[in-house]
Structure formats: structure tokens, C-alpha cells
């Protein structure tokens, strides 16, 4: 075959040589695709493993920030906040999650909230629509303006429904007293909602629950440390962790998360 490369110039191209050249390129591309595919197969399990671990680390950091904010609240007011505030008729107004916003660097959102009106009043619609990322677990999926971090609220817990609690009342020790627990997405609530976890919910979180993290749940304690509670933690131990003054702290030590 003769091919012109310009006016008055010709050179010969061997068709067989041309076919061999394209064949070589084809097999080189095929080999490259194969290498990429092999590498993908090798690294994909690692990526799948790394993502849950990363999500759990995010939750641990979130819970640490929340626990620190509660401690800072206590330093200012001398008490831990109530689980929620109430109006003159005893109706719930605002969650502890709203009360600690200033210590989560969310002062602007806090100042926009009318604390004299309920959390879901139209006057507070703008704040309710705001994103407070420290209240979000990435493993919980797309749950806009909702949280899976709930306070443990019972008559004997460190956060009570409508009454503040002095740290001095926690005679079982701040390290052994549960404050916040992470529930599954099915139990999530709007972050401003004055709804938390009662004893039945805490005791019911187990192997059959749809938890955000395999094997258990994050938990923040009054002293500020965060642990990962196994989904198989016995009910007796959970009850001991909830109680502030049960004299049952000897058998409930839980290692802190890294």
C-alpha cells in the first residue's frame, strides 16, 4: 500500500505489518485492563473494611465532642442539663442537644432558637433545618437533620427527664456511668427533638437490632471517655452502667475506645 505524507512524497506500508501493530496495541490494552481489574479485586476488600472502621472513628469523635460539651455545660451551671426543658404546663420544649450547642461551636444556631417555644414551632423551623454534623453518624445513611445519639434517660440515670443532676450525685463514679448511647437508624430522632433512650430501648439493643456498627454501639460516659459496647453486653451490666448510685460499679468497667 502506498500512502502520501505530503505533496509529491510517497512511502510504502506493509499491510501485514500494520495488522501486527494494531494487534500488539490491542493485547497491550487488554493486558492493562486486566492488571487494573486485578488490582481492583485486591484493594476492594480493603476499602470495604476501611469504610466501616472510618465510620466508627467518626462516631467516636462525635461522641467525645458531645461528652465534652456536656462537661463544659456542667462547669458553667454546676449541674448536668435536664434531658429536656418544659413550659409552665410541663410540656417538653427543648432537648439537651439544643442546650449544649454553644459548646459545640454552634452559637449562631443556638442564638436563632426561641427557647420559650417548642422545638418544632414555626419560629424554630430555620434552626431545625440546620445541619449539626456532630450529631450525625455517617453509617446511619442519609437522615437529614436527624441523630442517632440519644441520652439515656431514666429516674436513676445521670440525665433525668426534666431535672438537672449534680455530678456529686453520681456515687458509682463518672467513669462507670453511661451518659449517651448510639442507637440504630430506625430509632433516630430529629436532633432538636426532646426524645431520648429509656431503659427498655437501651436493654433492647442487641444482635437482632439494626445497629450502625457491626457488633455493638458507641457510648459516652460522664467522665468524657467513649467506649464501644458489645451488642452482647448483659442486661445486668447495662443496668449497672445506667445507674448513678447503685453501688454496682465493681463489675462494669468498659475499656475506652482508642
Amino acid at each position: 500500500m502506498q500512502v502520501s505524507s505530503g505533496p509529491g512524497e510517497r512511502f510504502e506500508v506493509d499491510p501485514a505489518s500494520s495488522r501486527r501493530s494494531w494487534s500488539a496495541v490491542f493485547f497491550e490494552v487488554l493486558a492493562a485492563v486486566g492488571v487494573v481489574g486485578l488490582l481492583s479485586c485486591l484493594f476492594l476488600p480493603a476499602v470495604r473494611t476501611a469504610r466501616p472502621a472510618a465510620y466508627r472513628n467518626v462516631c467516636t469523635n462525635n461522641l467525645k465532642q458531645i461528652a465534652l460539651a456536656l462537661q463544659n455545660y456542667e462547669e458553667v451551671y454546676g449541674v448536668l442539663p435536664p434531658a429536656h426543658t418544659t413550659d409552665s404546663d410541663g410540656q417538653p420544649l427543648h432537648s439537651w442537644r439544643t442546650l449544649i450547642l454553644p459548646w459545640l461551636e454552634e452559637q449562631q444556631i443556638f442564638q436563632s432558637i426561641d427557647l420559650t417555644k417548642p422545638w418544632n414551632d414555626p419560629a424554630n423551623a430555620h434552626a431545625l433545618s440546620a445541619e449539626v454534623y456532630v450529631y450525625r453518624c455517617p453509617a446511619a445513611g442519609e437522615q437529614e437533620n436527624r441523630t442517632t445519639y440519644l441520652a439515656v434517660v431514666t429516674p436513676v440515670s445521670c440525665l433525668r427527664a426534666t431535672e438537672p443532676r449534680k455530678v456529686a450525685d453520681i456515687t458509682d463514679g463518672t467513669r462507670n456511668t453511661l451518659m449517651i448511647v448510639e442507637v440504630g437508624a430506625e430509632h433516630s430522632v430529629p436532633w432538636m427533638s426532646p426524645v431520648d433512650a429509656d431503659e427498655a430501648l437501651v436493654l433492647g439493643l442487641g444482635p437482632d437490632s439494626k445497629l450502625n456498627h457491626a457488633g455493638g454501639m458507641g457510648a459516652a460516659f460522664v467522665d468524657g471517655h467513649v467506649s464501644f459496647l458489645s451488642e452482647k453486653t448483659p442486661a445486668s451490666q447495662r443496668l449497672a452502667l445506667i445507674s448513678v448510685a447503685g453501688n454496682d460499679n465493681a463489675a462494669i468497667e468498659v475499656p475506652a475506645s482508642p
Side-chain angles (χ1 to χ4, degrees), residues 50 56-57 68 96 105-106 109 145 194 201 205-207:
R56 181 170 155 181
N57 287 338
L68 179 60
W96 61 272
E105 300 183 358
E106 297 291 357
I109 295 177
N145 305 325
L201 178 54
L205 296 173

Side-chain angles (χ1 to χ4, degrees), residues 100-116:
I100 66 172
L101 286 174
W103 293 278
L104 292 172
E105 300 183 358
E106 297 291 357
Q107 184 71 29
Q108 186 174 358
I109 295 177
F110 182 74
Q111 290 178 340
S112 72
I113 297 172
D114 187 341
L115 296 176
T116 67

Side-chain angles (χ1 to χ4, degrees), residues 170-207:
I170 305 174
T171 57
D172 280 349
T174 57
R175 184 172 182 80
N176 299 316
T177 304
L178 184 60
M179 187 160 53
I180 310 296
V181 67
E182 182 182 5
V183 298
E186 62 183 333
H187 296 297
S188 68
V189 300
W191 73 265
M192 285 183 69
S193 172
V195 176
D196 285 286
D198 59 12
E199 181 182 293
L201 178 54
V202 176
L203 297 185
L205 296 173

Side-chain angles (χ1 to χ4, degrees), residues 2 17 20 23 25 37 52 55 58 63 80 82 89 108-109 119 135 140 157 198 201 231 234 246:
Q2 289 188 327
S17 174
R20 285 197 300 272
S23 297
V25 171
Y55 287 167
V58 169
L63 286 167
L80 290 168
D89 296 322
Q108 186 174 358
I109 295 177
W119 66 278
Y135 288 146
S157 59
D198 59 12
L201 178 54
E231 62 188 8

Side-chain angles (χ1 to χ4, degrees), residues 5-212:
S5 64
E9 295 185 49
R10 289 182 182 275
F11 58 88
E12 297 290 330
V13 176
D14 182 354
S17 174
S18 178
R19 285 194 297 271
R20 285 197 300 272
S21 177
W22 282 107
S23 297
V25 171
F26 172 77
F27 284 112
E28 287 176 4
V29 171
L30 189 62
V33 171
V35 170
V36 171
L38 177 60
L39 290 175
S40 297
C41 292
L42 291 174
F43 285 111
L44 189 57
V47 171
R48 288 176 176 170
T49 302
R51 183 173 295 175
Y55 287 167
R56 181 170 155 181
N57 287 338
V58 169
C59 275
T60 296
N61 290 331
N62 287 347
L63 286 167
K64 285 180 179 179
Q65 290 184 59
I66 292 169
L68 179 60
L70 284 162
Q71 289 180 329
N72 288 334
Y73 179 101
E74 190 274 334
E75 286 185 7
V76 172
Y77 294 104
V79 291
L80 290 168
H84 60 262
T85 59
T86 60
D87 61 17
S88 58
D89 296 322
Q91 296 301 309
L93 288 176
H94 289 281
S95 165
W96 61 272
R97 286 179 290 270
T98 293
L99 300 181
I100 66 172
L101 286 174
W103 293 278
L104 292 172
E105 300 183 358
E106 297 291 357
Q107 184 71 29
Q108 186 174 358
I109 295 177
F110 182 74
Q111 290 178 340
S112 72
I113 297 172
D114 187 341
L115 296 176
T116 67
K117 296 179 180 179
W119 66 278
N120 55 355
D121 187 274
N124 292 319
H126 178 71
L128 179 58
S129 67
E131 293 277 5
V132 182
Y133 292 102
V134 74
Y135 288 146
R136 295 192 62 181
C137 166
E142 293 297 326
Q143 294 207 330
E144 187 175 359
N145 305 325
R146 299 180 71 85
T147 185
T148 53
Y149 304 135
L150 306 186
V152 180
V153 182
T154 78
V156 298
S157 59
C158 66
L159 294 188
R160 294 180 288 186
T162 60
E163 300 177 67
R165 167 84 72 185
K166 291 182 178 180
V167 172
D169 295 339
I170 305 174
T171 57
D172 280 349
T174 57
R175 184 172 182 80
N176 299 316
T177 304
L178 184 60
M179 187 160 53
I180 310 296
V181 67
E182 182 182 5
V183 298
E186 62 183 333
H187 296 297
S188 68
V189 300
W191 73 265
M192 285 183 69
S193 172
V195 176
D196 285 286
D198 59 12
E199 181 182 293
L201 178 54
V202 176
L203 297 185
L205 296 173
D208 295 329
S209 302
K210 296 179 180 178
L211 300 174
N212 296 336

